[in-house]
Amino acid sequence: MQLRNQLAASLGFAATAAAQAYQGFNYGATNNDGSCRGYDDFRGFFERAKGLAGTEGQFTAARLYTSIQCGTAADPISAYQAAIDTDTQILVGLWASAGRAAYENELNALISAAKQLGTAFTDRIIGVSVGSEDLYRASPTGQQNNAGPGATGAEIEGYIGWMRDWFRGTLLEGKPIGHVDTWTAWVLPENAGVAASVDFLGHNGFPYFENTKPNSIDLAADNFWSAVQQTESVAAGKPVFITETGWPSMGPQSGDAIASVENSQRYYSQVGCALFGQRTTFWYTLVDANTAQTELSFSLTPLDSATPKFDLTC
């Protein structure tokens, strides 16, 4: 009953907050061995996502973490052209945890892409995210977990204002601007200014990792929706996109959470199938690519095969 009530409340919010719900996956700029992804890689993955058995072609969007092509200083990422050529919608991402100079390169790459590719590119933009989990990494919890360099709320607010200034008078003007983070970062008082300055909030939620409380697969759906409600509590009615969620099919035990194909499928069926078509969602993930998580596998398909690890029918 608790889950049903949470689900109804959350989906009701989603229906009023966004006119259209997109479904897609997260795509990093590199492979899990650290090698750079190029146009052929992105095109192949976008086509694979659309053709996944059992999904009726519903995965037609892509979330990116950077606008810069791997191996270059500030060239637009080749995923943009691949998205045009496969008619894939894009949640653009700019890396925002490497300082102002690196962020300026991100802005330059995105502006260049808009100039070079025109409306074929910009018409496919769902929104633009300034950073991903920067606030979490900068928080005491992130620092305690050695999560890496982050950015403060004040820095992210500044980057958002900078972006709005640079978008003025370009094909990117008016595109929704947001930020992606964990609920634990969104609810911190020092980050209220970020929530106030964005057009949408991205929510990354992994009950598997929340091992400071009971987090078995039996509790996963309730834990997921409880976390979403925390992010919604500071959203002031703005859309909340589910930008990352999933359950690993392989990996170490995390608290009560066990990684297995069976549990990955159960999480997909209980959480994913409730999200798809109702709320903009980027599942984690189509193909493993996180160089820091080589002992974990969240992918729905292996790198070298388009055959899903389990039945994806909802």
Side-chain angles (χ1 to χ4, degrees), residues 48-303:
R48 180 188 297 190
K50 287 191 169 189
L52 279 177
T55 67
E56 300 181 344
Q58 66 183 348
F59 289 105
T60 59
R63 176 185 172 231
L64 305 174
Y65 295 91
T66 178
S67 281
I68 298 174
Q69 175 60 35
C70 175
T72 74
D75 290 348
I77 192 168
S78 56
Y80 292 155
Q81 184 64 57
I84 294 170
D85 295 341
T86 57
D87 192 21
T88 296
Q89 308 300 308
I90 315 162
L91 182 60
V92 171
L94 281 73
W95 194 246
S97 284
R100 287 183 60 85
Y103 181 73
E104 184 170 4
N105 284 341
E106 291 276 359
L107 278 175
N108 279 321
L110 179 54
I111 297 292
S112 294
K115 291 178 179 177
Q116 294 169 17
L117 302 175
T119 56
F121 166 53
T122 57
D123 285 352
R124 288 177 169 81
I125 294 177
I126 298 167
V128 183
S129 175
V130 177
S132 179
E133 295 192 6
D134 314 85
L135 303 178
Y136 161 73
R137 290 192 297 274
S139 71
T141 302
Q143 293 173 2
Q144 181 179 349
N145 292 335
N146 297 314
T152 66
E155 288 173 317
I156 296 298
E157 286 182 66
Y159 288 163
I160 290 170
W162 190 359
M163 176 177 285
R164 291 195 191 280
D165 287 342
W166 278 37
F167 278 9
R168 220 166 271 127
T170 75
L171 291 173
L172 296 162
E173 185 172 7
K175 295 297 179 184
I177 296 173
H179 172 71
V180 169
D181 232 298
T182 64
W183 75 265
T184 57
W186 277 122
V187 300
L188 292 176
E190 59 265 35
N191 296 329
V194 178
S197 64
V198 296
D199 301 313
F200 68 89
L201 289 73
H203 173 92
N204 286 358
F206 292 93
Y208 169 83
F209 288 124
E210 295 192 49
N211 54 22
T212 59
K213 63 183 180 182
N215 68 330
S216 72
I217 188 63
D218 294 334
L219 301 173
D222 279 341
N223 286 342
F224 170 80
W225 286 109
S226 176
V228 171
Q229 289 180 333
Q230 291 289 330
T231 298
E232 288 177 348
S233 72
V234 299
K238 297 173 183 177
V240 173
F241 297 163
I242 307 304
T243 38
E244 287 182 28
T245 196
W247 192 279
S249 59
M250 179 190 76
Q253 186 163 334
S254 174
D256 302 325
I258 296 173
S260 69
V261 173
E262 179 184 3
N263 287 346
S264 183
Q265 181 173 19
R266 182 174 172 185
Y267 188 81
Y268 178 93
S269 298
Q270 292 184 343
V271 174
C273 291
L275 289 167
F276 303 146
Q278 302 297 324
R279 184 193 293 263
T280 292
T281 302
F282 296 91
W283 201 254
Y284 193 87
T285 189
L286 179 67
V287 174
D288 290 316
N290 191 333
T291 57
Q293 292 182 349
T294 54
E295 80 286 2
L296 281 166
S297 177
F298 280 85
S299 65
L300 296 187
T301 66
L303 177 63

